[in-house]
């Protein structure tokens, strides 16, 4: 016993409490060491799997460059756009396979390291110095001359956002394609049908099916590449294109080597006389200083949904865009001159489509409230043919897309934007003088999205994403019911009845005084600080803030004595507490408010509201506080009248807004009359008559194709069907 005490004196010196504390510390240290060990093992396994998958991807990508490989699909160059390097996080360059994150060097980071090239079609990314040598495996627009459409297999450089549940399995062996723990066979994705395929399964599938692609579940909405051709296609243009590519490659090599030599001899990077990012990117992508895209991508910039300009970072291109003529209709040029101008800008043309084709023409306004235009364009380019996706801008309106589809007998339109963008497209459709105009669907990308709400397309992109994303939207478009929307002309007249300016057109509503002032304040704020309006939620917050400022300020206390309202020739008394008048055509206002209270069974001798009865509803509001309580459902608007012809005389300068577009109006008379009717698509996923309406529409279009009825008769029947079924 004494010997044990001599060998371990510390054991006897410590009390039981100290020994317990030491044991707990020892156990805690063991737990920490175990956790660190487990995390190290998982991190090592993750890096191992990542390296294996990256090696597979490199091998697959390099195999596609093998000149002996037989590629039956036409090559298509990428359409590069300048993006911040943050967009390339966790991505690898499709040319050198290195990470897109900037290299960490001891010296100062040059400007070119802050930007990368991203393809606006397939989403591939490349370093500025690598983009010119990237393999031409982007989504092709045309397969003219092929008997059948072919699968276009590509490496998944980016994560696909829009896919069905079935798409996560190999289309041949039906095994999962989400990747095994240590990585299995690499995965290819068809850029047309969105099917996934193990690379190991490709040879077997190709032998059995011949790599024929059916374009997937959206085949009726996709503009098949078999019927798209370039007006300049041919043997001579192929030789010219090849010579230009060879010359471009030679210039790329010379400039890269000269730049490398210059960089080694100088201690600082010379960015040129103006120091712009565009100059750096063009040196590395062998293009002219006026264009950010590489030379082989410029052929895509005028048609098929590509930008007529370049990324917003390039101020030089913006100036170039502003200098281009606008081909909108005006009194100085006639229809023939405009058609010639559009034909000169056109890079693709459509040949006769099959009778059952119902391609979708897409218009995107990236300046709409949600500010998601670039993302939507790339996602739609992957799901559809890039030729059928157009971006609207100050220099290119809907006329270019409508001109491309002018010979397509049956097509549909998808407008990605807010209420103002929808009105822009509907005005352009009116000018085309279609005997039976195509119906229009809406992807709500604005702030209020009232027309989209009235047609059950949702109140914003958030609701669209929660319901399944763009794949679900395309499914709903294919089965949507055709309905009718009344359109109204607003003439601005002086006391003698003469027009003071060209008439405006209304689809949703017209507001005078209180609500128009809030809209005008927001409009002015947007012009001064466009950066504040970066998403739908913040836009609504700013609307609420501007409305709150006017709650205590009774600017329009004298409003009832400053206006005179006449409905169908009868003067209507404006309530003494009114501070604004609203004329409504649809049942949604200010982000979903039902001004006419259509759910109320007591209409007080008024009829229910309808968007296709050629009748407008007139209500009054009592101020900004009333607008706020309307928004949360705590009050109602005051019903004044219903009628087909409305005249509102302004005896003082007052703010006015039409479909959310405000301005300050001097004394005049606003004369509102019926202009016509537009075919719209209404989402019918929850209506029992929806599929019946879709089937009847197909029957009528087939009857027109087979010359059983003509276009005018089809339009009349569609109108009657829409009235009866909705």
């Amino acid at each position: 016993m004494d010997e044990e005490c001599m060998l371990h004196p510390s054991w006897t010196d410590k009390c039981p409490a100290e020994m317990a504390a030491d044991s707990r510390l020892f156990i805690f240290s063991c737990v920490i060491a175990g956790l660190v060990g487990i995390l190290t093992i998982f991190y090592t396994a993750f890096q191992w799997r990542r390296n294996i998958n990256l090696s597979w991807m490199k091998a697959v990508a390099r195999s596609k460059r093998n000149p002996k490989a037989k590629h039956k699909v036409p090559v298509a160059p990428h359409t590069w756009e300048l993006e911040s390097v943050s967009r390339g996080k966790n991505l690898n360059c499709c040319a050198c396979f290195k990470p897109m994150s900037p290299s960490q060097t001891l010296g100062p980071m040059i400007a070119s390291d802050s930007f990368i090239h991203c393809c606006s079609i397939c989403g591939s990314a490349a370093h500025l110095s690598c983009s010119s040598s990237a393999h031409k495996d982007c989504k092709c627009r045309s397969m003219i001359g092929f008997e059948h459409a072919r699968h276009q297999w590509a490496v998944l450089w980016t994560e696909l956002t829009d896919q069905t549940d079935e798409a996560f399995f190999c289309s041949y062996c039906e095994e999962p394609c989400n990747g095994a723990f240590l990585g299995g066979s690499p995965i290819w994705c068809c850029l047309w049908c969105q099917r996934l395929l193990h690379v190991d399964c490709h040879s077997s599938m190709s032998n059995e099916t011949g790599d024929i692609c059916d374009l997937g579940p959206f085949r009726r909405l996709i503009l098949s590449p078999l019927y798209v051709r370039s007006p300049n296609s041919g043997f001579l243009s192929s030789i010219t294109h090849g010579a230009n590519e060879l010359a471009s490659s030679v210039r790329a090599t010379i400039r890269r080597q000269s730049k490398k030599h210059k960089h080694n001899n100088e201690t600082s990077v010379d960015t040129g006389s103006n120091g712009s990012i565009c100059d750096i990117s063009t040196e590395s992508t062998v293009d002219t200083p006026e264009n950010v895209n590489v030379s082989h991508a410029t052929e895509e910039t005028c048609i098929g949904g590509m930008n007529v300009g370049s990324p917003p970072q390039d101020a030089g291109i913006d100036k170039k865009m502003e200098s281009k003529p606008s081909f909108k209709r005006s009194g100085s040029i006639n229809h023939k001159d405009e058609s010639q101008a559009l034909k000169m800008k056109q890079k693709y043309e459509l040949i006769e489509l099959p009778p059952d084709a119902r391609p979708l023409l897409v218009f995107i306004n990236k300046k709409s409230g949600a500010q998601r235009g670039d993302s939507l364009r790339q996602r739609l380019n992957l799901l559809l043919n890039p030729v059928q996706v157009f971006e609207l801008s100050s220099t290119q309106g809907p006329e270019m897309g409508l001109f491309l589809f002018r010979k397509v007998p049956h097509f549909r339109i998808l407008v990605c934007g807010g209420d103002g963008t929808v009105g822009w497209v509907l005005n352009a459709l009116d000018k085309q003088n279609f005997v039976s105009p195509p119906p229009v669907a809406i992807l709500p990308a604005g702030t209020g999205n009232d027309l989209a709400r009235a047609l059950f397309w949702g109140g914003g992109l958030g609701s669209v994403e929660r319901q399944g994303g763009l794949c679900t939207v395309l499914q709903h478009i294919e089965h949507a019911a055709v309905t009718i929307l009344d359109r109204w002309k607003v003439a601005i007249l002086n006391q003698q009845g003469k027009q003071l300016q060209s008439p405006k057109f209304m689809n949703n509503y017209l507001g005078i005084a209180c609500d128009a002032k809030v809209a005008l304040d927001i409009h002015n704020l947007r012009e001064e600080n466009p950066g504040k309006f970066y998403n739908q939620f913040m836009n609504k917050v700013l609307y609420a803030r501007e409305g709150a400022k006017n709650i205590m300020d009774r600017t329009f206390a004298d409003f009832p004595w400053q206006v005179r309202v006449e409905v169908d020739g009868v003067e209507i008394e404006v309530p003494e507490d009114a501070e604004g008048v609203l004329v409504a055509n649809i049942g949604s206002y200010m982000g979903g408010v039902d001004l006419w209270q259509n759910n109320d069974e007591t209409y007080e001798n008024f009829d229910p509201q309808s968007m296709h009865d050629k009748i407008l509803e007139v209500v009054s509001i009592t101020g900004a506080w009333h607008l706020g309580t309307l928004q949360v459902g705590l009050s109602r608007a005051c019903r004044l009248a219903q009628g087909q012809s409305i005249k509102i005389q302004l005896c003082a300068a007052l703010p006015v807004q039409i479909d959310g577009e405000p301005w300050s109006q001097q004394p005049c008379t606003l004369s509102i009359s019926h202009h016509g009717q537009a075919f719209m698509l209404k989402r019918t996923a929850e209506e029992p008559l929806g599929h019946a309406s879709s089937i009847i529409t197909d029957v009528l279009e087939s009857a027109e194709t087979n010359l059983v009825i003509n276009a005018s008769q089809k339009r009349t029947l569609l109108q009657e069907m829409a009235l009866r079924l909705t």
Side-chain angles (χ1 to χ4, degrees):
M1 188 69 179
D2 295 336
E3 294 179 355
E4 291 181 0
C5 293
M6 292 176 63
L7 292 173
H8 307 284
S10 61
W11 292 4
T12 59
D13 294 341
K14 291 186 177 180
C15 63
E18 292 179 349
M19 295 178 64
D22 290 343
S23 62
R24 285 195 296 268
L25 179 61
F26 176 75
I27 294 173
F28 180 75
S29 302
C30 292
V31 171
I32 295 298
L35 290 176
V36 171
I38 292 173
L39 292 176
T40 303
I41 293 173
F42 273 102
Y43 178 78
T44 304
F46 173 77
Q47 291 294 332
W48 187 19
R49 177 190 174 188
R50 182 178 179 182
N51 293 336
I52 290 176
N53 289 336
L54 183 59
S55 300
W56 272 107
M57 184 175 292
K58 290 180 180 180
V60 172
R62 290 192 178 105
S63 68
K64 298 190 74 174
R65 299 187 179 194
N66 186 357
K68 295 182 180 180
K70 296 180 180 179
H71 298 295
K72 299 180 180 180
V73 179
V75 296
H78 294 281
T79 304
W80 301 115
E81 291 186 349
L82 270 181
E83 296 286 354
S84 172
V85 71
S86 60
R87 290 285 301 272
K89 186 179 181 181
N90 299 327
L91 294 180
N92 291 85
C93 176
C94 64
C96 68
F97 313 115
K98 295 180 181 179
M100 295 304 304
S101 56
S103 58
Q104 300 296 329
T105 59
L106 296 178
M109 187 174 66
I110 62 175
S112 59
D113 287 336
S114 301
F115 292 88
I116 61 174
H117 272 147
C118 285
C119 180
S120 61
I121 304 297
C122 65
S124 299
H127 298 108
L128 298 183
S129 58
C130 299
S131 56
S132 60
S133 59
H135 187 54
K136 300 174 184 177
D137 57 354
C138 191
K139 189 172 187 176
C140 64
R141 284 82 166 167
S142 173
M143 295 185 188
I144 195 74
F146 286 74
E147 184 178 358
H148 301 285
R150 302 280 182 175
H151 284 296
Q152 189 176 357
W153 302 111
V155 178
L156 280 176
W157 296 107
T158 58
E159 182 180 357
L160 293 180
T161 307
D162 305 287
Q163 278 191 318
T164 59
D165 294 336
E166 294 79 6
F168 293 99
F169 296 88
C170 176
S171 57
Y172 181 76
C173 68
E174 298 183 355
E175 292 294 327
C177 284
N178 55 357
F181 177 70
L182 294 179
S185 173
I187 300 169
W188 271 345
C189 175
C190 178
L191 297 178
W192 289 101
C193 64
Q194 309 302 314
R195 291 186 176 93
L196 300 182
L197 178 73
H198 294 125
V199 175
D200 294 344
C201 301
H202 177 255
S203 59
S204 301
M205 180 178 179
S206 180
N207 293 332
E208 293 182 11
T209 65
D211 251 5
I212 295 177
C213 181
D214 63 357
L215 303 183
F218 307 122
R219 61 182 66 89
R220 293 188 62 186
L221 299 178
I222 294 175
L223 181 60
S224 174
L226 297 174
Y227 307 102
V228 179
R229 69 179 179 188
S230 173
N232 299 324
S233 61
F235 179 72
L236 182 60
S237 63
S238 300
I239 295 177
T240 304
H241 180 71
N244 290 337
E245 290 294 331
L246 180 61
S248 177
S249 300
V250 172
R251 290 196 301 268
T253 304
I254 295 175
R255 290 191 182 184
R256 281 199 301 269
Q257 293 191 1
S258 66
K259 181 181 178 181
K260 182 178 179 181
H261 178 72
K262 183 177 181 180
H263 180 72
N264 291 334
N265 291 339
E266 296 181 3
T267 57
S268 61
V269 177
D270 182 12
T271 58
S273 59
N274 57 358
S276 67
I277 300 301
C278 182
D279 291 338
I280 295 175
S281 66
T282 52
E283 284 185 73
S284 58
T285 56
V286 290
D287 202 3
T288 57
E290 293 80 15
N291 195 351
V292 174
N293 294 346
V294 293
S295 59
H296 56 253
T298 56
E299 64 182 25
E300 313 295 343
T301 59
C302 293
I303 193 65
M306 310 316 301
N307 279 350
V308 292
S310 68
Q313 291 90 344
D314 186 4
I317 297 294
D318 292 338
K319 294 180 180 178
K320 185 177 179 181
M321 287 173 57
E322 294 175 0
S323 65
K324 290 184 179 180
S326 174
F327 295 104
K328 296 180 182 178
R329 293 180 182 270
S330 64
S332 61
I333 58 174
N334 56 31
H335 178 69
K336 185 176 180 180
D337 293 337
E338 182 182 357
S339 298
Q340 291 294 332
L342 291 172
K343 190 172 183 179
M344 291 178 62
K345 291 181 63 178
Q346 196 171 341
K347 292 298 181 181
Y348 291 97
E349 62 183 11
L350 308 183
I351 62 177
E352 187 175 356
L353 272 68
D356 61 338
R358 303 290 186 271
L360 186 67
L361 176 59
V362 181
F363 295 111
I364 300 176
N365 184 4
K366 69 177 184 180
K367 297 297 184 182
S368 294
Q371 302 286 313
R372 299 263 300 273
D374 290 333
S375 173
L376 288 176
R377 183 185 61 177
Q378 180 183 324
R379 292 166 64 183
L380 288 168
N381 282 336
L382 281 175
L383 292 172
L384 305 172
N385 191 329
V387 172
Q388 64 191 110
V389 182
F390 288 81
E391 183 177 310
L392 301 178
S393 66
S394 59
T395 57
Q396 176 173 293
E399 291 80 7
M400 180 67 75
L402 295 173
F403 183 79
L404 177 67
F405 275 63
R406 68 192 183 281
K407 296 181 181 179
V408 179
H410 309 297
F411 67 97
R412 298 183 171 190
I413 294 176
L414 174 63
V415 178
C416 306
D419 295 330
T421 308
V422 177
W424 188 5
V425 174
L426 292 179
N427 290 340
L429 275 174
D430 284 345
K431 297 176 182 178
Q432 301 299 318
N433 297 321
F434 284 103
V435 178
S436 182
V440 179
I442 305 173
L443 181 62
T447 301
N449 302 308
D450 289 299
L451 186 54
R453 294 173 190 268
L455 297 172
F456 299 102
W457 291 109
L461 292 178
S463 62
V464 171
E465 300 294 351
R466 288 191 296 270
Q467 294 174 1
L470 294 183
C471 287
T472 303
V473 171
L474 294 180
Q475 292 173 0
H476 289 162
I477 290 175
E478 193 163 7
H479 299 98
V482 176
T483 188
I484 292 175
L485 173 70
D486 288 327
R487 305 194 69 229
W488 301 85
K489 182 174 70 173
V490 181
I492 303 176
L493 312 174
N494 59 13
Q495 293 181 353
Q496 290 74 32
K498 295 183 179 180
Q499 287 194 7
L500 297 175
Q501 54 182 282
S502 59
K504 300 179 182 292
F505 297 96
M506 181 187 77
N507 301 314
N508 302 352
Y509 40 74
L510 177 146
I512 301 175
C514 181
D515 79 306
K517 184 179 186 301
V518 176
L520 184 60
D521 291 341
I522 288 292
H523 174 76
N524 294 333
L525 182 62
R526 187 194 298 267
E527 294 293 323
E528 296 174 0
N529 302 290
K532 291 184 177 181
F533 297 81
Y534 55 87
N535 62 37
Q536 185 182 17
F537 175 75
M538 285 305 303
N539 294 352
K540 290 185 177 181
V541 170
L542 293 173
Y543 267 97
R545 189 190 71 177
E546 293 300 322
K549 291 181 179 179
N550 298 322
I551 289 179
M552 303 303 296
D553 182 16
R554 294 202 62 190
T555 307
F556 305 102
D558 298 330
F559 175 77
W561 298 273
Q562 294 175 335
V563 297
R564 292 182 57 191
V565 181
E566 182 181 299
V567 179
D568 291 340
V570 179
E571 185 172 350
I572 303 299
E573 181 180 358
V574 180
E576 293 185 1
D577 60 346
E579 292 190 20
V581 167
L582 290 164
V583 181
N585 181 47
I586 63 175
S588 179
Y589 165 76
M590 202 168 60
V593 176
D594 184 5
L595 289 174
W596 199 247
Q597 292 296 320
N598 289 284
N599 295 327
D600 191 351
E601 297 181 358
T602 59
Y603 286 97
E604 302 173 357
N605 298 323
F606 292 113
D607 295 326
Q609 187 181 37
S610 173
M611 66 173 65
H612 46 63
D613 59 357
K614 300 181 182 179
I615 293 177
L616 291 171
E617 286 70 36
V618 184
V619 300
S620 66
I621 54 177
T622 59
W625 176 258
H626 192 190
L627 287 175
T629 55
L630 282 173
Q631 182 72 40
V632 296
L634 296 179
S635 64
R636 300 182 179 184
C638 178
R639 297 172 180 170
L640 297 183
Q642 285 180 304
Q644 296 179 332
S645 176
I646 298 175
K647 291 184 178 180
I648 303 177
Q649 182 179 354
L650 307 184
C651 302
L654 293 171
V656 181
Q657 62 97 0
I658 295 179
D659 295 346
E661 304 296 329
W663 75 95
S664 181
Q665 180 62 52
Q666 296 299 315
C668 69
T669 298
L670 302 177
S671 177
I672 308 173
S673 59
H674 193 260
H675 172 66
Q677 292 181 320
F679 285 123
M680 306 296 293
L681 288 175
K682 182 178 181 181
R683 189 173 73 89
T684 56
E686 301 176 357
E687 292 189 9
L689 297 179
H691 292 291
S693 174
S694 176
I695 293 173
I696 294 174
T697 302
D698 283 342
V699 170
L700 293 178
E701 291 175 345
S702 299
E704 181 189 5
T705 302
N706 296 326
L707 303 180
V708 177
I709 58 176
N710 57 33
S712 178
Q713 292 171 331
K714 185 197 76 172
R715 175 172 182 166
T716 303
L717 291 172
L718 281 176
Q719 289 175 331
E720 187 66 21
M721 177 195 69
L723 292 174
R724 291 181 179 273
L725 293 183
T726 59

